[in-house]
Amino acid sequence: MSGLKKGILLLMSGAVAGGLVLWGTIGGAAAGSEEDGNQGIKHYKKELSLSAKEFNEPDLTLIDSRNGKQLQKIKASSIKTTEDAQKIAEELESKYDRPLIPAKLVGGGQLRPGQSRIVVNTEALTKNLENVNAFQRSLEVPISEEAPNVSAKTAANVDQATLGSFTTTFDSSVSGRSTNIALSVQAINNIVLGPGDRFYYNLVVGERTAARGYQKAKEIVNKELVEGIGGGICQTSTTLYNAVEKAGLGIIELHHHSKSVGYVPENRDATVSWGGKDFKFQNDKNHPVIIKAKVNGGSLTVQIRAAAKHVTSR
């Protein structure tokens, strides 16, 4: 039996016992005079009012394990099943979880910091929520935070030598597709990943909208060629995927198109869609790497590079 159920049973037992004592008191008064009976009833009503205040359920405060700050308040009695606990844990996960945005080299060789990865441990939180009791006032939410594992110092000379490279070609006269490829290449170029850092293509490239400069071009949807905003960005993700694989980095998520594409052999592509399929990988080396991507006419090349000392020691 969970701590919450035990607490509720204790409260119920106390309330019942108190009710019997009060009823005996009223009954005794009623057996005397009518005045005594009326006083007993008034006393009983007053006790009930006090009991309602005394047993008003307090809030259970959920605390951020990183800094002790309050996240939100809930009622312990709302957690009756494992599903109730899971729902609360998942709500917190959707509210506070966020993926890592890697660092990037910008103008003048400056390293622009990325964004920390934040993870709510929903499994541990669900178990903790299941075991709360009626007397508990706070509960720590297990949250971990991991900053991009790279600095200007560790990223020095990161583009000296090539770990993996791949090139694809396209018709540069098709303006919409060419524009989309160029925009996505610009987004991934000079991304620096420290040891253990993750790369999420959709997160780095961002939503493909007209407001951000993306144009209409042909793309594959359900085995059909259709026109959509951002058509062509899958060639960038595909070229990146092949370079990443050649560099020996760890693939986390990969999807293929529903039909073959013309710029790589079958099953060598990496399709992506905003809010859906993504291409994700991780730098599982013990040193930083950088993504170098460029377009030259109708040629798209992506390289994964690192300091020469790391490449020559492979």
Side-chain angles (χ1 to χ4, degrees):
M1 182 181 294
S2 70
L4 175 59
K5 291 181 179 178
K6 290 178 182 177
I8 292 173
L9 286 176
L10 285 172
L11 289 174
M12 291 176 64
S13 299
V16 171
L20 290 174
V21 171
L22 286 172
W23 180 252
T25 301
I26 295 170
S33 66
E34 182 179 346
E35 184 178 353
D36 290 339
N38 290 333
Q39 289 176 348
I41 291 172
K42 289 179 182 179
H43 180 67
Y44 175 58
K45 288 181 177 179
K46 184 178 180 181
E47 287 294 326
L48 283 179
S49 177
L50 288 172
S51 296
K53 291 179 181 178
E54 289 171 1
F55 292 113
N56 185 30
E57 183 185 0
D59 290 324
L60 175 67
T61 304
L62 302 181
I63 304 296
D64 191 328
S65 64
R66 297 170 298 172
N67 49 34
K69 291 183 178 180
Q70 175 183 309
L71 297 177
Q72 70 180 69
K73 293 183 177 181
I74 62 173
K75 296 294 185 183
S77 61
S78 67
I79 310 168
K80 299 180 178 65
T81 64
T82 298
E83 288 70 25
D84 293 335
Q86 286 175 337
K87 183 179 179 182
I88 294 171
E90 288 168 1
E91 287 173 353
L92 285 166
E93 179 185 38
S94 64
K95 188 174 182 179
Y96 294 103
D97 255 39
R98 72 182 189 192
L100 180 143
I101 296 178
K104 184 171 184 173
L105 283 178
V106 292
Q110 297 296 311
L111 188 68
R112 186 179 68 196
Q115 173 182 278
S116 297
R117 181 179 180 223
I118 297 176
V119 178
V120 176
N121 188 334
T122 54
E123 184 177 351
L125 178 56
T126 297
K127 290 180 180 178
N128 294 341
L129 287 167
E130 285 185 285
N131 292 320
V132 297
N133 60 66
F135 306 103
Q136 197 166 334
R137 298 293 180 269
S138 64
L139 179 69
E140 195 173 81
V141 177
I143 300 178
S144 60
E145 184 170 354
E146 181 183 353
N149 188 24
V150 65
S151 65
K153 183 178 180 179
T154 60
N157 303 318
V158 72
D159 63 347
Q160 285 181 333
T162 302
L163 285 171
S165 179
F166 198 79
T167 299
T168 59
T169 58
F170 60 94
D171 186 350
S172 60
S173 67
V174 181
S175 61
R177 183 179 179 85
S178 297
T179 296
N180 297 338
I181 289 174
L183 287 171
S184 55
V185 163
Q186 183 180 21
I188 69 171
N189 185 45
N190 284 331
I191 290 290
V192 182
L193 301 172
D197 285 353
R198 296 184 175 195
F199 179 98
Y200 292 9
Y201 187 86
N202 280 332
L203 187 67
V204 171
V205 174
E207 187 173 4
R208 281 68 82 177
T209 64
R212 298 185 66 234
Y214 285 92
Q215 299 181 14
K216 289 185 177 181
K218 294 293 184 181
E219 57 185 4
I220 299 173
V221 178
N222 295 326
K223 298 184 180 182
E224 299 292 336
L225 274 175
V226 298
E227 194 172 68
I229 296 290
I233 57 100
C234 287
Q235 182 158 351
T236 304
S237 57
T238 291
T239 311
L240 173 62
Y241 155 58
N242 282 275
V244 164
E245 189 181 60
K246 285 179 178 293
L249 303 183
I251 306 298
I252 298 172
E253 181 179 342
L254 171 69
H255 304 276
H256 299 306
H257 287 84
S258 54
K259 64 180 297 183
S260 61
V261 296
Y263 44 86
V264 289
E266 188 175 359
N267 294 329
R268 299 303 308 168
D269 59 308
T271 186
V272 294
S273 62
W274 182 253
K277 296 175 180 179
D278 203 355
F279 171 54
K280 303 176 183 179
F281 67 93
Q282 181 174 20
N283 175 19
D284 47 13
K285 306 290 185 183
N286 60 4
H287 56 80
V289 299
I290 188 171
I291 299 171
K292 302 295 290 186
K294 66 177 181 178
V295 172
N296 184 12
S299 176
L300 163 59
T301 299
V302 176
Q303 294 180 330
I304 307 299
R305 298 175 69 84
K309 60 182 180 179
H310 300 305
V311 178
T312 55
S313 62
R314 290 170 62 197

